[in-house]
Amino acid sequence: SQTIHQWPATLVQPVGSPLSLECTVEGTSNPNLYWYRQAAGRGLQLLFYSVGIGQISSEVPQNLSASRPQDRQFILSSKKLLLSDSGFYLCAWSRPGTGNGELFFGEGSRLTVL
Amino acid sequence: GEDVEQSLFLSVREGDSSVINCTYTDSSSTYLYWYKQEPGAGLQLLTYIFSNMDMKQDQRLTVLLNKKDKHLSLRIADTQTGDSAIYFCAERGSGGYQKVTFGTGTKLQVIP
């Protein structure tokens, strides 16, 4: 069966510090990978998606970047965090190709920037 | 761009039916989804409907799709306290990437 893990679950960081959130998927090959941010009252905002190793697309301009160094690993980074980067970050994967497009989410990482 | 809208909050009594509504703008949507988020957790797919259907029933859940009005609803029959969660409406476009756009989520509170 497929599983998705993301860590850390909770993070408190000062403004200007770097960030690295990691996500790995097991039990599947060549998944589509996603990073979403959930801010209070604003729903889910797609930040990045990837259809393959080294292939990253950004949905919104921001202070964050993403990388996919391996097929089932997706990393969200920042060199210098801003207060506005606080939120709940969710990694997700989906099967490539046709199908119902179901997204499988990790448990989330709550980031507080002080 | 695509937009999906939902009311932010719904309160119902245990045993009553809940109806959560959603509107979307993408006329080329292929699939529409309802995801459920428990407190402090990720989202899980609850049910989905293909765009050429107008209704789907799955046990206590009924999904209605009005494609003309771009309106989607989720009805939960005999709502239980365990149904308290945030419910997200989402739609999938038909472009090459088939991006999924989520609504803001509706927080369902079930009163015992």
PDB file of all heavy atoms in Angstrom, chain B residues 36-62:
ATOM      1  N   LYS B  36     -12.486  15.652   3.296  1.00  0.00           N
ATOM      2  CA  LYS B  36     -12.770  15.881   4.719  1.00  0.00           C
ATOM      3  C   LYS B  36     -11.452  16.050   5.463  1.00  0.00           C
ATOM      4  O   LYS B  36     -10.499  15.290   5.226  1.00  0.00           O
ATOM      5  CB  LYS B  36     -13.542  14.688   5.296  1.00  0.00           C
ATOM      6  CG  LYS B  36     -13.882  14.794   6.781  1.00  0.00           C
ATOM      7  CD  LYS B  36     -14.612  13.535   7.251  1.00  0.00           C
ATOM      8  CE  LYS B  36     -14.965  13.614   8.729  1.00  0.00           C
ATOM      9  NZ  LYS B  36     -15.637  12.367   9.196  1.00  0.00           N
ATOM     10  N   GLN B  37     -11.400  17.053   6.333  1.00  0.00           N
ATOM     11  CA  GLN B  37     -10.199  17.285   7.133  1.00  0.00           C
ATOM     12  C   GLN B  37     -10.557  17.250   8.610  1.00  0.00           C
ATOM     13  O   GLN B  37     -11.289  18.113   9.095  1.00  0.00           O
ATOM     14  CB  GLN B  37      -9.554  18.627   6.784  1.00  0.00           C
ATOM     15  CG  GLN B  37      -8.240  18.866   7.526  1.00  0.00           C
ATOM     16  CD  GLN B  37      -7.620  20.206   7.228  1.00  0.00           C
ATOM     17  OE1 GLN B  37      -8.328  21.175   6.984  1.00  0.00           O
ATOM     18  NE2 GLN B  37      -6.292  20.274   7.228  1.00  0.00           N
ATOM     19  N   GLU B  38     -10.000  16.271   9.311  1.00  0.00           N
ATOM     20  CA  GLU B  38     -10.134  16.214  10.758  1.00  0.00           C
ATOM     21  C   GLU B  38      -9.187  17.258  11.369  1.00  0.00           C
ATOM     22  O   GLU B  38      -8.198  17.627  10.745  1.00  0.00           O
ATOM     23  CB  GLU B  38      -9.760  14.822  11.268  1.00  0.00           C
ATOM     24  CG  GLU B  38     -10.541  13.687  10.619  1.00  0.00           C
ATOM     25  CD  GLU B  38     -11.890  13.431  11.252  1.00  0.00           C
ATOM     26  OE1 GLU B  38     -12.214  14.114  12.232  1.00  0.00           O
ATOM     27  OE2 GLU B  38     -12.624  12.554  10.775  1.00  0.00           O
ATOM     28  N   PRO B  39      -9.448  17.704  12.594  1.00  0.00           N
ATOM     29  CA  PRO B  39      -8.597  18.726  13.222  1.00  0.00           C
ATOM     30  C   PRO B  39      -7.127  18.336  13.235  1.00  0.00           C
ATOM     31  O   PRO B  39      -6.767  17.237  13.648  1.00  0.00           O
ATOM     32  CB  PRO B  39      -9.168  18.822  14.649  1.00  0.00           C
ATOM     33  CG  PRO B  39     -10.582  18.386  14.512  1.00  0.00           C
ATOM     34  CD  PRO B  39     -10.598  17.335  13.442  1.00  0.00           C
ATOM     35  N   GLY B  40      -6.276  19.249  12.761  1.00  0.00           N
ATOM     36  CA  GLY B  40      -4.832  19.048  12.796  1.00  0.00           C
ATOM     37  C   GLY B  40      -4.296  17.969  11.892  1.00  0.00           C
ATOM     38  O   GLY B  40      -3.160  17.528  12.057  1.00  0.00           O
ATOM     39  N   ALA B  41      -5.064  17.543  10.923  1.00  0.00           N
ATOM     40  CA  ALA B  41      -4.640  16.439  10.042  1.00  0.00           C
ATOM     41  C   ALA B  41      -4.719  16.850   8.585  1.00  0.00           C
ATOM     42  O   ALA B  41      -5.173  17.944   8.243  1.00  0.00           O
ATOM     43  CB  ALA B  41      -5.512  15.217  10.297  1.00  0.00           C
ATOM     44  N   GLY B  42      -4.269  15.954   7.732  1.00  0.00           N
ATOM     45  CA  GLY B  42      -4.381  16.186   6.302  1.00  0.00           C
ATOM     46  C   GLY B  42      -5.795  15.916   5.816  1.00  0.00           C
ATOM     47  O   GLY B  42      -6.685  15.605   6.596  1.00  0.00           O
ATOM     48  N   LEU B  43      -5.996  16.050   4.512  1.00  0.00           N
ATOM     49  CA  LEU B  43      -7.315  15.847   3.930  1.00  0.00           C
ATOM     50  C   LEU B  43      -7.443  14.423   3.410  1.00  0.00           C
ATOM     51  O   LEU B  43      -6.463  13.808   2.972  1.00  0.00           O
ATOM     52  CB  LEU B  43      -7.532  16.801   2.746  1.00  0.00           C
ATOM     53  CG  LEU B  43      -7.876  18.242   3.051  1.00  0.00           C
ATOM     54  CD1 LEU B  43      -6.697  18.983   3.648  1.00  0.00           C
ATOM     55  CD2 LEU B  43      -8.346  18.953   1.791  1.00  0.00           C
ATOM     56  N   GLN B  44      -8.669  13.923   3.448  1.00  0.00           N
ATOM     57  CA  GLN B  44      -8.950  12.611   2.869  1.00  0.00           C
ATOM     58  C   GLN B  44     -10.130  12.751   1.916  1.00  0.00           C
ATOM     59  O   GLN B  44     -11.114  13.435   2.245  1.00  0.00           O
ATOM     60  CB  GLN B  44      -9.293  11.602   3.957  1.00  0.00           C
ATOM     61  CG  GLN B  44      -8.080  11.125   4.748  1.00  0.00           C
ATOM     62  CD  GLN B  44      -8.427   9.968   5.645  1.00  0.00           C
ATOM     63  OE1 GLN B  44      -9.385  10.051   6.415  1.00  0.00           O
ATOM     64  NE2 GLN B  44      -7.681   8.889   5.553  1.00  0.00           N
ATOM     65  N   LEU B  45     -10.034  12.065   0.793  1.00  0.00           N
ATOM     66  CA  LEU B  45     -11.132  12.102  -0.162  1.00  0.00           C
ATOM     67  C   LEU B  45     -12.349  11.405   0.430  1.00  0.00           C
ATOM     68  O   LEU B  45     -12.271  10.262   0.882  1.00  0.00           O
ATOM     69  CB  LEU B  45     -10.720  11.422  -1.471  1.00  0.00           C
ATOM     70  CG  LEU B  45     -11.784  11.436  -2.563  1.00  0.00           C
ATOM     71  CD1 LEU B  45     -12.056  12.862  -3.039  1.00  0.00           C
ATOM     72  CD2 LEU B  45     -11.359  10.557  -3.742  1.00  0.00           C
ATOM     73  N   LEU B  46     -13.455  12.127   0.403  1.00  0.00           N
ATOM     74  CA  LEU B  46     -14.713  11.583   0.927  1.00  0.00           C
ATOM     75  C   LEU B  46     -15.507  10.939  -0.220  1.00  0.00           C
ATOM     76  O   LEU B  46     -15.962   9.809  -0.138  1.00  0.00           O
ATOM     77  CB  LEU B  46     -15.510  12.718   1.545  1.00  0.00           C
ATOM     78  CG  LEU B  46     -16.591  12.409   2.551  1.00  0.00           C
ATOM     79  CD1 LEU B  46     -16.051  11.622   3.714  1.00  0.00           C
ATOM     80  CD2 LEU B  46     -17.213  13.715   3.056  1.00  0.00           C
ATOM     81  N   THR B  47     -15.662  11.671  -1.280  1.00  0.00           N
ATOM     82  CA  THR B  47     -16.369  11.200  -2.453  1.00  0.00           C
ATOM     83  C   THR B  47     -16.046  12.119  -3.627  1.00  0.00           C
ATOM     84  O   THR B  47     -15.507  13.202  -3.439  1.00  0.00           O
ATOM     85  CB  THR B  47     -17.892  11.141  -2.207  1.00  0.00           C
ATOM     86  OG1 THR B  47     -18.541  10.528  -3.332  1.00  0.00           O
ATOM     87  CG2 THR B  47     -18.470  12.531  -1.990  1.00  0.00           C
ATOM     88  N   TYR B  48     -16.363  11.668  -4.832  1.00  0.00           N
ATOM     89  CA  TYR B  48     -16.153  12.501  -6.000  1.00  0.00           C
ATOM     90  C   TYR B  48     -17.229  12.184  -7.026  1.00  0.00           C
ATOM     91  O   TYR B  48     -17.915  11.170  -6.950  1.00  0.00           O
ATOM     92  CB  TYR B  48     -14.763  12.282  -6.601  1.00  0.00           C
ATOM     93  CG  TYR B  48     -14.569  10.921  -7.230  1.00  0.00           C
ATOM     94  CD1 TYR B  48     -14.800  10.712  -8.589  1.00  0.00           C
ATOM     95  CD2 TYR B  48     -14.158   9.834  -6.465  1.00  0.00           C
ATOM     96  CE1 TYR B  48     -14.635   9.469  -9.172  1.00  0.00           C
ATOM     97  CE2 TYR B  48     -13.993   8.592  -7.028  1.00  0.00           C
ATOM     98  CZ  TYR B  48     -14.220   8.407  -8.382  1.00  0.00           C
ATOM     99  OH  TYR B  48     -14.051   7.178  -8.944  1.00  0.00           O
ATOM    100  N   ILE B  49     -17.388  13.073  -7.976  1.00  0.00           N
ATOM    101  CA  ILE B  49     -18.374  12.879  -9.031  1.00  0.00           C
ATOM    102  C   ILE B  49     -17.769  13.302 -10.351  1.00  0.00           C
ATOM    103  O   ILE B  49     -17.044  14.305 -10.423  1.00  0.00           O
ATOM    104  CB  ILE B  49     -19.678  13.652  -8.707  1.00  0.00           C
ATOM    105  CG1 ILE B  49     -20.792  13.291  -9.697  1.00  0.00           C
ATOM    106  CG2 ILE B  49     -19.447  15.155  -8.674  1.00  0.00           C
ATOM    107  CD1 ILE B  49     -22.173  13.791  -9.244  1.00  0.00           C
ATOM    108  N   PHE B  50     -18.008  12.536 -11.365  1.00  0.00           N
ATOM    109  CA  PHE B  50     -17.536  12.882 -12.687  1.00  0.00           C
ATOM    110  C   PHE B  50     -18.484  13.927 -13.263  1.00  0.00           C
ATOM    111  O   PHE B  50     -19.688  13.918 -12.979  1.00  0.00           O
ATOM    112  CB  PHE B  50     -17.490  11.634 -13.566  1.00  0.00           C
ATOM    113  CG  PHE B  50     -16.781  11.837 -14.880  1.00  0.00           C
ATOM    114  CD1 PHE B  50     -15.502  12.377 -14.933  1.00  0.00           C
ATOM    115  CD2 PHE B  50     -17.397  11.497 -16.067  1.00  0.00           C
ATOM    116  CE1 PHE B  50     -14.853  12.558 -16.144  1.00  0.00           C
ATOM    117  CE2 PHE B  50     -16.762  11.676 -17.283  1.00  0.00           C
ATOM    118  CZ  PHE B  50     -15.496  12.212 -17.317  1.00  0.00           C
ATOM    119  N   SER B  51     -17.961  14.789 -14.093  1.00  0.00           N
ATOM    120  CA  SER B  51     -18.732  15.956 -14.524  1.00  0.00           C
ATOM    121  C   SER B  51     -19.931  15.613 -15.407  1.00  0.00           C
ATOM    122  O   SER B  51     -20.794  16.472 -15.613  1.00  0.00           O
ATOM    123  CB  SER B  51     -17.824  16.950 -15.255  1.00  0.00           C
ATOM    124  OG  SER B  51     -17.238  16.323 -16.375  1.00  0.00           O
ATOM    125  N   ASN B  52     -20.015  14.394 -15.924  1.00  0.00           N
ATOM    126  CA  ASN B  52     -21.179  14.053 -16.758  1.00  0.00           C
ATOM    127  C   ASN B  52     -22.300  13.390 -15.941  1.00  0.00           C
ATOM    128  O   ASN B  52     -23.285  12.917 -16.486  1.00  0.00           O
ATOM    129  CB  ASN B  52     -20.778  13.164 -17.935  1.00  0.00           C
ATOM    130  CG  ASN B  52     -20.334  11.786 -17.490  1.00  0.00           C
ATOM    131  OD1 ASN B  52     -20.199  11.534 -16.298  1.00  0.00           O
ATOM    132  ND2 ASN B  52     -20.091  10.913 -18.442  1.00  0.00           N
ATOM    133  N   MET B  53     -22.113  13.367 -14.614  1.00  0.00           N
ATOM    134  CA  MET B  53     -23.135  12.832 -13.725  1.00  0.00           C
ATOM    135  C   MET B  53     -23.836  13.992 -13.030  1.00  0.00           C
ATOM    136  O   MET B  53     -23.267  15.083 -12.911  1.00  0.00           O
ATOM    137  CB  MET B  53     -22.490  11.919 -12.672  1.00  0.00           C
ATOM    138  CG  MET B  53     -21.760  10.727 -13.265  1.00  0.00           C
ATOM    139  SD  MET B  53     -20.763   9.875 -12.020  1.00  0.00           S
ATOM    140  CE  MET B  53     -22.008   9.325 -10.871  1.00  0.00           C
ATOM    141  N   ASP B  54     -25.036  13.757 -12.563  1.00  0.00           N
ATOM    142  CA  ASP B  54     -25.683  14.813 -11.782  1.00  0.00           C
ATOM    143  C   ASP B  54     -25.952  14.399 -10.334  1.00  0.00           C
ATOM    144  O   ASP B  54     -26.312  15.236  -9.507  1.00  0.00           O
ATOM    145  CB  ASP B  54     -26.970  15.305 -12.455  1.00  0.00           C
ATOM    146  CG  ASP B  54     -27.908  14.154 -12.795  1.00  0.00           C
ATOM    147  OD1 ASP B  54     -27.779  13.081 -12.199  1.00  0.00           O
ATOM    148  OD2 ASP B  54     -28.773  14.354 -13.674  1.00  0.00           O
ATOM    149  N   MET B  55     -25.765  13.121 -10.039  1.00  0.00           N
ATOM    150  CA  MET B  55     -25.962  12.688  -8.670  1.00  0.00           C
ATOM    151  C   MET B  55     -25.122  11.442  -8.401  1.00  0.00           C
ATOM    152  O   MET B  55     -24.918  10.601  -9.276  1.00  0.00           O
ATOM    153  CB  MET B  55     -27.431  12.374  -8.385  1.00  0.00           C
ATOM    154  CG  MET B  55     -27.711  12.083  -6.919  1.00  0.00           C
ATOM    155  SD  MET B  55     -29.429  11.693  -6.579  1.00  0.00           S
ATOM    156  CE  MET B  55     -29.386   9.920  -6.722  1.00  0.00           C
ATOM    157  N   LYS B  56     -24.650  11.375  -7.167  1.00  0.00           N
ATOM    158  CA  LYS B  56     -23.949  10.166  -6.728  1.00  0.00           C
ATOM    159  C   LYS B  56     -24.292   9.938  -5.272  1.00  0.00           C
ATOM    160  O   LYS B  56     -24.247  10.869  -4.465  1.00  0.00           O
ATOM    161  CB  LYS B  56     -22.438  10.334  -6.901  1.00  0.00           C
ATOM    162  CG  LYS B  56     -21.640   9.117  -6.485  1.00  0.00           C
ATOM    163  CD  LYS B  56     -20.156   9.330  -6.713  1.00  0.00           C
ATOM    164  CE  LYS B  56     -19.364   8.109  -6.312  1.00  0.00           C
ATOM    165  NZ  LYS B  56     -17.906   8.301  -6.519  1.00  0.00           N
ATOM    166  N   GLN B  57     -24.648   8.703  -4.948  1.00  0.00           N
ATOM    167  CA  GLN B  57     -24.994   8.392  -3.570  1.00  0.00           C
ATOM    168  C   GLN B  57     -24.057   7.309  -3.059  1.00  0.00           C
ATOM    169  O   GLN B  57     -23.759   6.340  -3.749  1.00  0.00           O
ATOM    170  CB  GLN B  57     -26.451   7.914  -3.489  1.00  0.00           C
ATOM    171  CG  GLN B  57     -26.947   7.780  -2.064  1.00  0.00           C
ATOM    172  CD  GLN B  57     -28.440   7.990  -1.946  1.00  0.00           C
ATOM    173  OE1 GLN B  57     -29.145   8.173  -2.942  1.00  0.00           O
ATOM    174  NE2 GLN B  57     -28.933   7.999  -0.730  1.00  0.00           N
ATOM    175  N   ASP B  58     -23.608   7.502  -1.840  1.00  0.00           N
ATOM    176  CA  ASP B  58     -22.700   6.544  -1.207  1.00  0.00           C
ATOM    177  C   ASP B  58     -23.039   6.507   0.265  1.00  0.00           C
ATOM    178  O   ASP B  58     -22.624   7.363   1.041  1.00  0.00           O
ATOM    179  CB  ASP B  58     -21.245   6.980  -1.423  1.00  0.00           C
ATOM    180  CG  ASP B  58     -20.261   5.981  -0.850  1.00  0.00           C
ATOM    181  OD1 ASP B  58     -20.694   4.930  -0.341  1.00  0.00           O
ATOM    182  OD2 ASP B  58     -19.042   6.240  -0.931  1.00  0.00           O
ATOM    183  N   GLN B  59     -23.850   5.540   0.655  1.00  0.00           N
ATOM    184  CA  GLN B  59     -24.309   5.363   2.033  1.00  0.00           C
ATOM    185  C   GLN B  59     -24.978   6.662   2.512  1.00  0.00           C
ATOM    186  O   GLN B  59     -25.999   7.059   1.962  1.00  0.00           O
ATOM    187  CB  GLN B  59     -23.143   4.938   2.911  1.00  0.00           C
ATOM    188  CG  GLN B  59     -22.559   3.591   2.471  1.00  0.00           C
ATOM    189  CD  GLN B  59     -21.438   3.101   3.353  1.00  0.00           C
ATOM    190  OE1 GLN B  59     -20.789   3.870   4.072  1.00  0.00           O
ATOM    191  NE2 GLN B  59     -21.195   1.807   3.319  1.00  0.00           N
ATOM    192  N   ARG B  60     -24.421   7.317   3.526  1.00  0.00           N
ATOM    193  CA  ARG B  60     -25.083   8.526   4.041  1.00  0.00           C
ATOM    194  C   ARG B  60     -24.808   9.774   3.209  1.00  0.00           C
ATOM    195  O   ARG B  60     -25.355  10.839   3.486  1.00  0.00           O
ATOM    196  CB  ARG B  60     -24.643   8.779   5.493  1.00  0.00           C
ATOM    197  CG  ARG B  60     -25.113   7.736   6.490  1.00  0.00           C
ATOM    198  CD  ARG B  60     -24.884   8.185   7.927  1.00  0.00           C
ATOM    199  NE  ARG B  60     -23.463   8.332   8.230  1.00  0.00           N
ATOM    200  CZ  ARG B  60     -22.909   9.460   8.661  1.00  0.00           C
ATOM    201  NH1 ARG B  60     -23.631  10.545   8.827  1.00  0.00           N
ATOM    202  NH2 ARG B  60     -21.607   9.507   8.939  1.00  0.00           N
ATOM    203  N   LEU B  61     -23.956   9.649   2.222  1.00  0.00           N
ATOM    204  CA  LEU B  61     -23.540  10.813   1.442  1.00  0.00           C
ATOM    205  C   LEU B  61     -24.265  10.871   0.104  1.00  0.00           C
ATOM    206  O   LEU B  61     -24.366   9.860  -0.590  1.00  0.00           O
ATOM    207  CB  LEU B  61     -22.032  10.753   1.172  1.00  0.00           C
ATOM    208  CG  LEU B  61     -21.120  10.615   2.381  1.00  0.00           C
ATOM    209  CD1 LEU B  61     -19.674  10.505   1.926  1.00  0.00           C
ATOM    210  CD2 LEU B  61     -21.302  11.775   3.328  1.00  0.00           C
ATOM    211  N   THR B  62     -24.751  12.053  -0.239  1.00  0.00           N
ATOM    212  CA  THR B  62     -25.339  12.284  -1.555  1.00  0.00           C
ATOM    213  C   THR B  62     -24.694  13.520  -2.149  1.00  0.00           C
ATOM    214  O   THR B  62     -24.663  14.584  -1.511  1.00  0.00           O
ATOM    215  CB  THR B  62     -26.859  12.500  -1.477  1.00  0.00           C
ATOM    216  OG1 THR B  62     -27.457  11.388  -0.832  1.00  0.00           O
ATOM    217  CG2 THR B  62     -27.451  12.669  -2.876  1.00  0.00           C
TER     218      THR B  62
END
